[in-house]
Amino acid sequence: RPLGWTRMAAVYSLEQPGDPEADALAAIALADLASIGALGQIQDIVKRYGNSADADSFPFSYARAVIKYQDAQKLQQRSSEEAEVDLRYAWRQAEEAIERALQAEDSDRFDAARYQAVLLHAWSLYHLRDFELARDRFESAAEFLPENEAAEAVWMAYVSEERRGEADPNLPRTQRERLVNLYLERFPQGPRAGELMVRRASQDET
């Protein structure tokens, strides 16, 4: 659906409080906006109509979480100006907000947005340096995302495991090797395939 139509549907529906059909349409429209990353549209709608629908529903919870994620990204981009504690707090706020959205009772009604939420959750955990959980979340997201995004998610699962290995040189390489093989099996022509083949060959020589 065109972005303009989706925004119009969300706004129109949220201006009809108490109408079950309007509430359902608003939920679908917000989930669509969230799934395509229309952050500016989401931010405006949530600020204007944040009290007009079920605050605990997945679309509204996820929309608010996306705003927190965007705030953390902005801090990350100017991290040299921010204290580490402030940056970590921002990412924790985003991570917790996304987790709450994913736990919403109606989250299974919005597959595309839910898959994007899992991906953003993985990135939040990565920025929090919780690399083991980030690895698992990236790999989970890769099961459902479109091919290009899935390939990048598997790559980030591998990167997360690499970061774990950097922190603990005694960590077995089993997971890293498994993720390399997973990427090359699923995405033999993927943008990271060449690099991973080189890394696998280098490891075989040691």
Side-chain angles (χ1 to χ4, degrees):
R1 287 183 282 263
L3 177 60
W5 183 95
T6 305
R7 175 188 166 80
M8 184 173 64
V11 170
Y12 172 80
S13 303
L14 291 168
E15 289 179 346
Q16 318 296 320
D19 182 332
E21 291 185 4
D23 288 347
L25 179 58
I28 292 170
L30 268 176
D32 282 353
L33 289 171
S35 68
I36 63 175
L39 304 184
Q41 304 282 358
I42 291 170
Q43 189 168 27
D44 179 57
I45 290 171
V46 169
K47 285 182 177 178
R48 291 173 59 189
Y49 301 101
N51 297 320
S52 300
D54 182 1
D56 294 325
S57 68
F58 173 77
F60 261 87
S61 295
Y62 182 42
R64 289 191 296 271
V66 167
I67 292 171
K68 288 187 179 295
Y69 184 89
Q70 184 183 42
D71 290 342
Q73 277 188 315
K74 289 177 180 177
L75 281 178
Q76 184 79 36
Q77 290 168 0
R78 59 175 198 267
S79 59
S80 60
E81 305 170 17
E82 301 295 331
E84 178 67 22
V85 65
D86 293 334
L87 186 57
R88 185 171 180 81
Y89 177 78
W91 280 116
R92 181 59 69 190
Q93 289 284 296
E95 184 274 324
E96 291 176 350
I98 298 168
E99 179 66 21
R100 283 194 298 272
L102 287 167
Q103 291 174 354
E105 291 184 0
D106 61 343
S107 65
D108 59 355
R109 292 175 50 205
F110 306 97
D111 286 345
R114 179 161 49 90
Y115 302 153
Q116 288 297 322
V118 173
L119 184 60
L120 294 190
H121 194 231
W123 275 108
S124 299
L125 290 165
Y126 181 84
H127 286 296
L128 287 165
R129 300 175 187 170
D130 193 339
F131 297 122
E132 185 172 9
L133 283 178
R135 178 201 68 200
D136 293 343
R137 273 304 203 187
F138 278 122
E139 189 171 359
S140 176
E143 295 179 17
F144 308 104
L145 291 169
E147 184 170 348
N148 287 343
E149 290 180 274
E152 188 63 14
V154 174
W155 164 256
M156 284 307 304
Y158 169 78
V159 171
S160 299
E161 187 64 16
E162 278 280 278
R163 295 294 299 273
R164 288 186 71 213
E166 291 169 6
D168 179 6
N170 295 319
L171 190 71
R173 296 192 58 86
T174 308
Q175 289 289 342
R176 277 169 281 186
E177 293 169 358
R178 180 184 67 80
L179 289 164
V180 168
N181 291 335
L182 175 63
Y183 187 102
L184 293 175
E185 288 170 6
R186 284 190 62 185
F187 313 107
Q189 305 301 320
R192 307 287 186 175
E195 180 177 353
L196 288 175
M197 289 178 67
V198 170
R199 292 192 184 201
R200 184 166 67 178
S202 298
Q203 187 61 35
D204 289 343
E205 292 175 359
T206 60

PDB file of all heavy atoms in Angstrom, residues 3-4 13 16 23 62 75 81 88 90 92 94 99 120 126 130 132 139 141 152 155 165 173 185 190 201-203:
ATOM      1  N   LEU A   3       2.483   4.803   0.907  1.00  0.00           N
ATOM      2  CA  LEU A   3       2.709   5.389   2.222  1.00  0.00           C
ATOM      3  C   LEU A   3       1.642   6.411   2.574  1.00  0.00           C
ATOM      4  O   LEU A   3       1.132   6.439   3.703  1.00  0.00           O
ATOM      5  CB  LEU A   3       4.097   6.034   2.256  1.00  0.00           C
ATOM      6  CG  LEU A   3       4.483   6.768   3.545  1.00  0.00           C
ATOM      7  CD1 LEU A   3       4.461   5.820   4.728  1.00  0.00           C
ATOM      8  CD2 LEU A   3       5.870   7.394   3.385  1.00  0.00           C
ATOM      9  N   GLY A   4       1.275   7.260   1.611  1.00  0.00           N
ATOM     10  CA  GLY A   4       0.274   8.287   1.878  1.00  0.00           C
ATOM     11  C   GLY A   4      -1.065   7.691   2.278  1.00  0.00           C
ATOM     12  O   GLY A   4      -1.731   8.187   3.203  1.00  0.00           O
ATOM     13  N   SER A  13      -8.676   6.651  11.099  1.00  0.00           N
ATOM     14  CA  SER A  13      -9.181   5.662  12.052  1.00  0.00           C
ATOM     15  C   SER A  13      -9.020   6.142  13.485  1.00  0.00           C
ATOM     16  O   SER A  13      -9.907   5.942  14.324  1.00  0.00           O
ATOM     17  CB  SER A  13      -8.441   4.333  11.854  1.00  0.00           C
ATOM     18  OG  SER A  13      -8.593   3.878  10.524  1.00  0.00           O
ATOM     19  N   GLN A  16     -11.629   8.289  15.035  1.00  0.00           N
ATOM     20  CA  GLN A  16     -12.940   7.675  15.291  1.00  0.00           C
ATOM     21  C   GLN A  16     -12.847   6.803  16.542  1.00  0.00           C
ATOM     22  O   GLN A  16     -13.041   5.582  16.480  1.00  0.00           O
ATOM     23  CB  GLN A  16     -13.364   6.810  14.092  1.00  0.00           C
ATOM     24  CG  GLN A  16     -13.104   7.391  12.727  1.00  0.00           C
ATOM     25  CD  GLN A  16     -13.901   8.656  12.463  1.00  0.00           C
ATOM     26  OE1 GLN A  16     -15.061   8.736  12.834  1.00  0.00           O
ATOM     27  NE2 GLN A  16     -13.268   9.653  11.863  1.00  0.00           N
ATOM     28  N   ASP A  23     -10.598   1.069  14.964  1.00  0.00           N
ATOM     29  CA  ASP A  23      -9.451   0.652  15.771  1.00  0.00           C
ATOM     30  C   ASP A  23      -8.643  -0.426  15.055  1.00  0.00           C
ATOM     31  O   ASP A  23      -7.407  -0.411  15.064  1.00  0.00           O
ATOM     32  CB  ASP A  23      -9.917   0.126  17.136  1.00  0.00           C
ATOM     33  CG  ASP A  23     -10.414   1.228  18.054  1.00  0.00           C
ATOM     34  OD1 ASP A  23     -10.174   2.416  17.741  1.00  0.00           O
ATOM     35  OD2 ASP A  23     -11.033   0.904  19.078  1.00  0.00           O
ATOM     36  N   TYR A  62       4.749  -1.077  19.435  1.00  0.00           N
ATOM     37  CA  TYR A  62       5.890  -1.117  18.523  1.00  0.00           C
ATOM     38  C   TYR A  62       6.203   0.270  17.970  1.00  0.00           C
ATOM     39  O   TYR A  62       7.369   0.641  17.825  1.00  0.00           O
ATOM     40  CB  TYR A  62       5.611  -2.108  17.391  1.00  0.00           C
ATOM     41  CG  TYR A  62       6.756  -2.243  16.419  1.00  0.00           C
ATOM     42  CD1 TYR A  62       8.077  -2.304  16.853  1.00  0.00           C
ATOM     43  CD2 TYR A  62       6.520  -2.320  15.053  1.00  0.00           C
ATOM     44  CE1 TYR A  62       9.125  -2.434  15.960  1.00  0.00           C
ATOM     45  CE2 TYR A  62       7.556  -2.457  14.151  1.00  0.00           C
ATOM     46  CZ  TYR A  62       8.858  -2.506  14.611  1.00  0.00           C
ATOM     47  OH  TYR A  62       9.896  -2.629  13.722  1.00  0.00           O
ATOM     48  N   LEU A  75      21.660   9.250  19.163  1.00  0.00           N
ATOM     49  CA  LEU A  75      22.731   9.370  20.161  1.00  0.00           C
ATOM     50  C   LEU A  75      23.972   8.614  19.706  1.00  0.00           C
ATOM     51  O   LEU A  75      25.098   9.082  19.888  1.00  0.00           O
ATOM     52  CB  LEU A  75      22.261   8.829  21.509  1.00  0.00           C
ATOM     53  CG  LEU A  75      21.378   9.732  22.361  1.00  0.00           C
ATOM     54  CD1 LEU A  75      20.963   9.011  23.636  1.00  0.00           C
ATOM     55  CD2 LEU A  75      22.086  11.036  22.716  1.00  0.00           C
ATOM     56  N   GLU A  81      30.019  12.812  21.607  1.00  0.00           N
ATOM     57  CA  GLU A  81      29.529  13.895  22.439  1.00  0.00           C
ATOM     58  C   GLU A  81      28.710  13.395  23.622  1.00  0.00           C
ATOM     59  O   GLU A  81      28.293  14.176  24.469  1.00  0.00           O
ATOM     60  CB  GLU A  81      28.650  14.843  21.597  1.00  0.00           C
ATOM     61  CG  GLU A  81      29.335  15.389  20.359  1.00  0.00           C
ATOM     62  CD  GLU A  81      28.345  16.114  19.458  1.00  0.00           C
ATOM     63  OE1 GLU A  81      27.252  16.458  19.945  1.00  0.00           O
ATOM     64  OE2 GLU A  81      28.676  16.341  18.292  1.00  0.00           O
ATOM     65  N   ARG A  88      24.141   3.950  26.656  1.00  0.00           N
ATOM     66  CA  ARG A  88      23.668   2.624  27.073  1.00  0.00           C
ATOM     67  C   ARG A  88      22.232   2.693  27.592  1.00  0.00           C
ATOM     68  O   ARG A  88      21.426   1.808  27.309  1.00  0.00           O
ATOM     69  CB  ARG A  88      24.598   2.055  28.157  1.00  0.00           C
ATOM     70  CG  ARG A  88      24.251   0.642  28.550  1.00  0.00           C
ATOM     71  CD  ARG A  88      25.294   0.021  29.462  1.00  0.00           C
ATOM     72  NE  ARG A  88      24.923  -1.343  29.810  1.00  0.00           N
ATOM     73  CZ  ARG A  88      25.114  -2.397  29.040  1.00  0.00           C
ATOM     74  NH1 ARG A  88      25.693  -2.253  27.868  1.00  0.00           N
ATOM     75  NH2 ARG A  88      24.739  -3.602  29.436  1.00  0.00           N
ATOM     76  N   ALA A  90      19.937   4.774  26.621  1.00  0.00           N
ATOM     77  CA  ALA A  90      19.053   4.949  25.469  1.00  0.00           C
ATOM     78  C   ALA A  90      18.799   3.617  24.769  1.00  0.00           C
ATOM     79  O   ALA A  90      17.659   3.291  24.400  1.00  0.00           O
ATOM     80  CB  ALA A  90      19.645   5.964  24.495  1.00  0.00           C
ATOM     81  N   ARG A  92      19.065   0.660  26.146  1.00  0.00           N
ATOM     82  CA  ARG A  92      18.284  -0.194  27.042  1.00  0.00           C
ATOM     83  C   ARG A  92      16.814   0.174  26.983  1.00  0.00           C
ATOM     84  O   ARG A  92      15.943  -0.704  26.993  1.00  0.00           O
ATOM     85  CB  ARG A  92      18.811  -0.070  28.478  1.00  0.00           C
ATOM     86  CG  ARG A  92      18.062  -0.945  29.487  1.00  0.00           C
ATOM     87  CD  ARG A  92      18.138  -2.417  29.115  1.00  0.00           C
ATOM     88  NE  ARG A  92      19.474  -2.954  29.266  1.00  0.00           N
ATOM     89  CZ  ARG A  92      19.858  -4.148  28.834  1.00  0.00           C
ATOM     90  NH1 ARG A  92      18.998  -4.909  28.163  1.00  0.00           N
ATOM     91  NH2 ARG A  92      21.085  -4.580  29.019  1.00  0.00           N
ATOM     92  N   ALA A  94      15.269   1.407  24.410  1.00  0.00           N
ATOM     93  CA  ALA A  94      14.774   0.878  23.140  1.00  0.00           C
ATOM     94  C   ALA A  94      14.562  -0.631  23.226  1.00  0.00           C
ATOM     95  O   ALA A  94      13.520  -1.151  22.798  1.00  0.00           O
ATOM     96  CB  ALA A  94      15.751   1.210  22.014  1.00  0.00           C
ATOM     97  N   GLU A  99      10.919  -5.252  23.387  1.00  0.00           N
ATOM     98  CA  GLU A  99      10.562  -6.503  24.047  1.00  0.00           C
ATOM     99  C   GLU A  99       9.112  -6.461  24.530  1.00  0.00           C
ATOM    100  O   GLU A  99       8.365  -7.444  24.380  1.00  0.00           O
ATOM    101  CB  GLU A  99      11.506  -6.763  25.225  1.00  0.00           C
ATOM    102  CG  GLU A  99      11.218  -8.036  25.998  1.00  0.00           C
ATOM    103  CD  GLU A  99      11.459  -9.301  25.207  1.00  0.00           C
ATOM    104  OE1 GLU A  99      12.208  -9.260  24.219  1.00  0.00           O
ATOM    105  OE2 GLU A  99      10.885 -10.342  25.582  1.00  0.00           O
ATOM    106  N   LEU A 120      15.074  -5.290  15.056  1.00  0.00           N
ATOM    107  CA  LEU A 120      15.473  -4.116  15.843  1.00  0.00           C
ATOM    108  C   LEU A 120      15.876  -4.518  17.255  1.00  0.00           C
ATOM    109  O   LEU A 120      16.774  -3.906  17.855  1.00  0.00           O
ATOM    110  CB  LEU A 120      14.339  -3.091  15.885  1.00  0.00           C
ATOM    111  CG  LEU A 120      13.948  -2.415  14.574  1.00  0.00           C
ATOM    112  CD1 LEU A 120      12.996  -1.255  14.848  1.00  0.00           C
ATOM    113  CD2 LEU A 120      15.162  -1.920  13.801  1.00  0.00           C
ATOM    114  N   TYR A 126      22.758  -5.856  20.372  1.00  0.00           N
ATOM    115  CA  TYR A 126      24.127  -5.728  19.865  1.00  0.00           C
ATOM    116  C   TYR A 126      24.775  -4.449  20.391  1.00  0.00           C
ATOM    117  O   TYR A 126      25.926  -4.469  20.859  1.00  0.00           O
ATOM    118  CB  TYR A 126      24.112  -5.740  18.341  1.00  0.00           C
ATOM    119  CG  TYR A 126      25.488  -5.633  17.716  1.00  0.00           C
ATOM    120  CD1 TYR A 126      26.279  -6.765  17.555  1.00  0.00           C
ATOM    121  CD2 TYR A 126      25.998  -4.409  17.298  1.00  0.00           C
ATOM    122  CE1 TYR A 126      27.550  -6.677  16.991  1.00  0.00           C
ATOM    123  CE2 TYR A 126      27.258  -4.307  16.733  1.00  0.00           C
ATOM    124  CZ  TYR A 126      28.036  -5.445  16.591  1.00  0.00           C
ATOM    125  OH  TYR A 126      29.293  -5.348  16.043  1.00  0.00           O
ATOM    126  N   ASP A 130      25.363  -7.205  24.386  1.00  0.00           N
ATOM    127  CA  ASP A 130      24.862  -8.505  24.830  1.00  0.00           C
ATOM    128  C   ASP A 130      24.905  -9.410  23.600  1.00  0.00           C
ATOM    129  O   ASP A 130      23.888  -9.736  22.982  1.00  0.00           O
ATOM    130  CB  ASP A 130      23.433  -8.360  25.362  1.00  0.00           C
ATOM    131  CG  ASP A 130      22.977  -9.597  26.122  1.00  0.00           C
ATOM    132  OD1 ASP A 130      23.571 -10.675  25.900  1.00  0.00           O
ATOM    133  OD2 ASP A 130      22.032  -9.485  26.923  1.00  0.00           O
ATOM    134  N   GLU A 132      25.650 -12.551  22.877  1.00  0.00           N
ATOM    135  CA  GLU A 132      25.065 -13.886  22.771  1.00  0.00           C
ATOM    136  C   GLU A 132      23.576 -13.805  22.450  1.00  0.00           C
ATOM    137  O   GLU A 132      23.086 -14.485  21.540  1.00  0.00           O
ATOM    138  CB  GLU A 132      25.287 -14.671  24.066  1.00  0.00           C
ATOM    139  CG  GLU A 132      24.795 -16.108  23.972  1.00  0.00           C
ATOM    140  CD  GLU A 132      25.175 -16.941  25.182  1.00  0.00           C
ATOM    141  OE1 GLU A 132      25.680 -16.372  26.167  1.00  0.00           O
ATOM    142  OE2 GLU A 132      24.965 -18.174  25.130  1.00  0.00           O
ATOM    143  N   GLU A 139      19.675 -14.436  14.313  1.00  0.00           N
ATOM    144  CA  GLU A 139      19.433 -15.700  13.618  1.00  0.00           C
ATOM    145  C   GLU A 139      17.938 -16.004  13.556  1.00  0.00           C
ATOM    146  O   GLU A 139      17.432 -16.507  12.547  1.00  0.00           O
ATOM    147  CB  GLU A 139      20.185 -16.833  14.307  1.00  0.00           C
ATOM    148  CG  GLU A 139      20.165 -18.118  13.527  1.00  0.00           C
ATOM    149  CD  GLU A 139      21.077 -19.194  14.089  1.00  0.00           C
ATOM    150  OE1 GLU A 139      21.773 -18.943  15.099  1.00  0.00           O
ATOM    151  OE2 GLU A 139      21.074 -20.305  13.520  1.00  0.00           O
ATOM    152  N   ALA A 141      15.513 -13.770  13.507  1.00  0.00           N
ATOM    153  CA  ALA A 141      14.926 -12.851  12.522  1.00  0.00           C
ATOM    154  C   ALA A 141      15.174 -13.349  11.105  1.00  0.00           C
ATOM    155  O   ALA A 141      14.314 -13.208  10.226  1.00  0.00           O
ATOM    156  CB  ALA A 141      15.499 -11.451  12.699  1.00  0.00           C
ATOM    157  N   GLU A 152      21.738 -10.394   5.728  1.00  0.00           N
ATOM    158  CA  GLU A 152      22.429  -9.453   6.622  1.00  0.00           C
ATOM    159  C   GLU A 152      22.240  -9.855   8.082  1.00  0.00           C
ATOM    160  O   GLU A 152      23.139  -9.681   8.902  1.00  0.00           O
ATOM    161  CB  GLU A 152      21.903  -8.034   6.384  1.00  0.00           C
ATOM    162  CG  GLU A 152      22.676  -6.947   7.106  1.00  0.00           C
ATOM    163  CD  GLU A 152      24.136  -6.818   6.657  1.00  0.00           C
ATOM    164  OE1 GLU A 152      24.499  -7.389   5.600  1.00  0.00           O
ATOM    165  OE2 GLU A 152      24.907  -6.143   7.362  1.00  0.00           O
ATOM    166  N   TRP A 155      24.629 -12.628   8.807  1.00  0.00           N
ATOM    167  CA  TRP A 155      25.950 -12.004   8.921  1.00  0.00           C
ATOM    168  C   TRP A 155      26.128 -11.361  10.287  1.00  0.00           C
ATOM    169  O   TRP A 155      27.158 -11.524  10.941  1.00  0.00           O
ATOM    170  CB  TRP A 155      26.135 -10.975   7.811  1.00  0.00           C
ATOM    171  CG  TRP A 155      27.278 -10.021   8.040  1.00  0.00           C
ATOM    172  CD1 TRP A 155      27.194  -8.716   8.437  1.00  0.00           C
ATOM    173  CD2 TRP A 155      28.680 -10.295   7.900  1.00  0.00           C
ATOM    174  NE1 TRP A 155      28.446  -8.163   8.554  1.00  0.00           N
ATOM    175  CE2 TRP A 155      29.376  -9.110   8.231  1.00  0.00           C
ATOM    176  CE3 TRP A 155      29.406 -11.424   7.530  1.00  0.00           C
ATOM    177  CZ2 TRP A 155      30.769  -9.029   8.206  1.00  0.00           C
ATOM    178  CZ3 TRP A 155      30.800 -11.342   7.497  1.00  0.00           C
ATOM    179  CH2 TRP A 155      31.458 -10.150   7.836  1.00  0.00           C
ATOM    180  N   GLY A 165      33.915 -13.781  20.778  1.00  0.00           N
ATOM    181  CA  GLY A 165      35.237 -14.391  20.733  1.00  0.00           C
ATOM    182  C   GLY A 165      36.347 -13.405  21.030  1.00  0.00           C
ATOM    183  O   GLY A 165      37.368 -13.764  21.636  1.00  0.00           O
ATOM    184  N   ARG A 173      35.097 -22.065  18.758  1.00  0.00           N
ATOM    185  CA  ARG A 173      34.711 -21.473  17.482  1.00  0.00           C
ATOM    186  C   ARG A 173      33.506 -22.183  16.860  1.00  0.00           C
ATOM    187  O   ARG A 173      33.118 -21.865  15.731  1.00  0.00           O
ATOM    188  CB  ARG A 173      35.885 -21.515  16.511  1.00  0.00           C
ATOM    189  CG  ARG A 173      37.090 -20.694  16.945  1.00  0.00           C
ATOM    190  CD  ARG A 173      38.074 -20.560  15.788  1.00  0.00           C
ATOM    191  NE  ARG A 173      37.439 -19.938  14.633  1.00  0.00           N
ATOM    192  CZ  ARG A 173      37.346 -18.620  14.444  1.00  0.00           C
ATOM    193  NH1 ARG A 173      37.826 -17.783  15.350  1.00  0.00           N
ATOM    194  NH2 ARG A 173      36.760 -18.133  13.359  1.00  0.00           N
ATOM    195  N   GLU A 185      25.463 -21.691   2.940  1.00  0.00           N
ATOM    196  CA  GLU A 185      24.459 -22.628   2.441  1.00  0.00           C
ATOM    197  C   GLU A 185      23.198 -21.900   1.969  1.00  0.00           C
ATOM    198  O   GLU A 185      22.630 -22.229   0.930  1.00  0.00           O
ATOM    199  CB  GLU A 185      24.104 -23.644   3.532  1.00  0.00           C
ATOM    200  CG  GLU A 185      25.199 -24.660   3.803  1.00  0.00           C
ATOM    201  CD  GLU A 185      24.921 -25.483   5.050  1.00  0.00           C
ATOM    202  OE1 GLU A 185      23.806 -25.334   5.627  1.00  0.00           O
ATOM    203  OE2 GLU A 185      25.802 -26.255   5.459  1.00  0.00           O
ATOM    204  N   GLY A 190      25.394 -14.331  -1.700  1.00  0.00           N
ATOM    205  CA  GLY A 190      25.164 -13.166  -0.852  1.00  0.00           C
ATOM    206  C   GLY A 190      26.350 -12.223  -0.826  1.00  0.00           C
ATOM    207  O   GLY A 190      27.487 -12.610  -1.133  1.00  0.00           O
ATOM    208  N   ALA A 201      38.466 -20.453   4.864  1.00  0.00           N
ATOM    209  CA  ALA A 201      39.698 -21.031   4.341  1.00  0.00           C
ATOM    210  C   ALA A 201      40.886 -20.716   5.252  1.00  0.00           C
ATOM    211  O   ALA A 201      41.737 -21.582   5.509  1.00  0.00           O
ATOM    212  CB  ALA A 201      39.964 -20.515   2.935  1.00  0.00           C
ATOM    213  N   SER A 202      40.945 -19.485   5.750  1.00  0.00           N
ATOM    214  CA  SER A 202      42.028 -19.085   6.645  1.00  0.00           C
ATOM    215  C   SER A 202      41.999 -19.905   7.929  1.00  0.00           C
ATOM    216  O   SER A 202      43.039 -20.314   8.439  1.00  0.00           O
ATOM    217  CB  SER A 202      41.923 -17.599   6.973  1.00  0.00           C
ATOM    218  OG  SER A 202      42.050 -16.822   5.807  1.00  0.00           O
ATOM    219  N   GLN A 203      40.813 -20.158   8.431  1.00  0.00           N
ATOM    220  CA  GLN A 203      40.680 -20.929   9.661  1.00  0.00           C
ATOM    221  C   GLN A 203      41.087 -22.373   9.435  1.00  0.00           C
ATOM    222  O   GLN A 203      41.708 -22.997  10.288  1.00  0.00           O
ATOM    223  CB  GLN A 203      39.237 -20.852  10.176  1.00  0.00           C
ATOM    224  CG  GLN A 203      39.046 -21.472  11.539  1.00  0.00           C
ATOM    225  CD  GLN A 203      39.870 -20.801  12.618  1.00  0.00           C
ATOM    226  OE1 GLN A 203      40.068 -19.591  12.594  1.00  0.00           O
ATOM    227  NE2 GLN A 203      40.391 -21.604  13.552  1.00  0.00           N
TER     228      GLN A 203
END
